[in-house]
Amino acid sequence: MEKKNFTEWLSNFRNSISDYKYYINFEKIYDNVDKIKVELNILNSLIGSKDIENEFIKLIKNYPEIIKCIPILLAVRLNEIYCQDDNGGFLYKFNVLQQNVEEKTMDYDNYVYFMKETGLFDLLENHIVNNLIDYVTGVETGLDSNGRKNRGGHLMENLVENYIKRAGFRKNENYFKEMYISEISSKWNIDLSNISNKGKMEKRFDFVLKTSSMIYAIETNFYSGGGSKLNETARSYKTLAVESQDIDGFTFVWITDGKGWFSAKNNLEETFDIMENIYNIKELEDGIINEVFR
């Protein structure tokens, strides 16, 4: 195969690979809200209350399960919250309040204090919100946006896997996800000590493809932004490529993309120059898997 030109290869890198589900997972949001819908409707009775402290105590006496909704009103996914001020500190437990209030009546006052000092009573009694289900849906939407980093990490893997499937490979038959070096060695009786530091390092590859004559170990990533991690990645994959060159029946493959590489292109070019099996998304689209993975 003719040697690729690095500048031309890099020019095809993409700004983004975000799909329509990347930004917000509404299905997850609706499911989280639905799990506490009844309790939120009970708490709705406090909206506009003229005697909110006493009414809150009555509610938690009669419906102690409503206490589990309190953390999400503060955009917190915890069952316990510690707070302190000039009056001292207190660990509020939102999953075992029923037992607490039966044994210690002072807990009522502590939870009233919590609601007051965090501003939740003000939120409710002054009609700042009109419906807690709508409010929590908004909170969950904000919290879910924090999950974009995790979703983004899987976007490139999912994209590459689609092309692997299109090339005719079948999962758990001749392609495998997230395989460790030791698993590869054991499954196909191949010596990978060159890349495992004599068995002391246990690396996991994103995909492993097995053909009649070759094992392809694949790493995938996409970088939309720069950072020191890109230089570290390029250097480590360069080392891996060099260490694996003399292993018969084994090929290390790197599929990467993203304009974040523009800020680390010198390190990427060093790896590109010594690595034959390095590809981008455009090459996937052009059928590189069918062409090379045989």
Side-chain angles (χ1 to χ4, degrees):
M1 184 181 294
E2 183 181 347
K3 179 64 177 175
K4 297 180 290 191
N5 176 274
F6 176 76
T7 302
E8 181 181 344
W9 181 73
L10 187 67
S11 70
N12 290 314
F13 277 29
R14 314 288 171 89
N15 285 313
S16 172
I17 53 172
S18 301
D19 59 19
Y20 292 99
K21 301 297 183 182
Y22 166 73
Y23 297 96
I24 293 292
N25 184 346
F26 280 111
E27 183 177 345
K28 178 183 174 184
I29 290 168
Y30 299 149
D31 184 58
N32 287 345
V33 175
D34 193 61
K35 289 176 182 176
I36 55 172
K37 184 188 296 184
V38 172
E39 291 81 4
L40 290 173
N41 272 319
I42 294 172
L43 281 172
N44 270 337
S45 65
L46 295 176
I47 293 175
S49 171
K50 302 301 181 184
D51 188 18
I52 196 166
E53 293 186 12
N54 287 323
E55 289 188 15
F56 175 71
I57 291 174
K58 289 179 183 177
L59 282 184
I60 59 175
K61 282 182 177 179
N62 293 323
Y63 309 101
E65 66 274 10
I66 66 173
I67 209 71
K68 69 182 180 183
C69 302
I70 302 302
I72 197 62
L73 299 182
L74 297 173
V76 174
R77 295 198 194 281
L78 295 172
N79 291 323
E80 297 182 356
I81 297 178
Y82 178 83
C83 293
Q84 66 178 38
D85 59 12
D86 293 339
N87 294 321
F90 188 79
L91 179 65
Y92 297 90
K93 298 182 179 181
F94 296 96
N95 57 344
V96 291
L97 182 62
Q98 184 172 12
Q99 177 183 347
N100 286 349
V101 297
E102 287 174 353
E103 296 176 357
K104 301 177 182 179
T105 55
M106 63 173 288
D107 278 352
Y108 290 121
D109 292 333
N110 280 333
Y111 285 91
V112 166
Y113 191 78
F114 178 90
M115 296 291 289
K116 182 178 179 180
E117 293 302 310
T118 57
L120 288 176
F121 274 164
D122 182 56
L123 180 80
L124 296 166
E125 67 181 335
N126 292 316
H127 285 285
I128 296 173
V129 296
N130 295 316
N131 186 302
L132 285 177
I133 292 178
D134 294 342
Y135 171 80
V136 171
T137 300
V139 169
E140 286 283 355
T141 300
L143 290 174
D144 186 76
S145 68
N146 295 329
R148 287 176 191 160
K149 183 177 181 180
N150 291 331
R151 288 194 291 272
H154 293 292
L155 285 174
M156 187 64 171
E157 288 182 25
N158 294 340
L159 185 150
V160 171
E161 186 171 12
N162 285 335
Y163 282 102
I164 290 173
K165 290 177 178 178
R166 290 183 195 179
F169 289 90
R170 298 172 301 280
K171 188 175 182 180
N172 297 329
E173 291 185 27
N174 52 8
Y175 94 84
F176 305 84
K177 291 188 68 173
E178 299 181 344
M179 280 192 88
Y180 286 96
I181 289 175
S182 61
E183 294 176 309
I184 300 170
S185 298
S186 175
K187 187 173 182 65
W188 292 293
N189 192 28
I190 184 171
D191 182 5
L192 298 180
S193 57
N194 279 14
I195 61 172
S196 65
N197 190 20
K198 308 294 183 185
K200 297 176 182 178
M201 185 188 76
E202 183 66 301
K203 177 174 177 53
R204 185 181 69 180
F205 293 98
D206 293 329
F207 299 98
V208 174
L209 274 60
K210 180 67 174 73
T211 68
S212 59
S213 59
M214 186 63 63
I215 298 169
Y216 295 94
I218 304 171
E219 283 287 84
T220 69
N221 40 52
F222 184 95
Y223 295 107
S224 56
S228 59
K229 184 178 181 181
L230 282 77
N231 291 324
E232 295 170 10
T233 300
R235 282 193 292 266
S236 66
Y237 288 179
K238 177 183 177 181
T239 300
L240 187 55
V242 171
E243 291 175 344
S244 63
Q245 282 177 349
D246 295 328
I247 302 176
D248 290 335
F250 181 88
T251 299
F252 172 55
V253 179
W254 184 17
I255 303 174
T256 192
D257 212 302
K259 290 196 173 179
W261 278 115
F262 287 11
S263 66
K265 62 182 181 180
N266 291 337
N267 288 81
L268 181 61
E269 186 172 11
E270 287 181 17
T271 305
F272 177 90
D273 287 341
I274 64 97
M275 190 172 178
E276 181 180 350
N277 296 95
I278 182 171
Y279 307 109
N280 59 24
I281 293 173
K282 185 177 186 304
E283 288 169 294
L284 288 177
E285 294 173 344
D286 292 341
I288 195 67
I289 293 180
N290 290 104
E291 183 179 344
V292 172
F293 293 37
R294 297 176 178 177

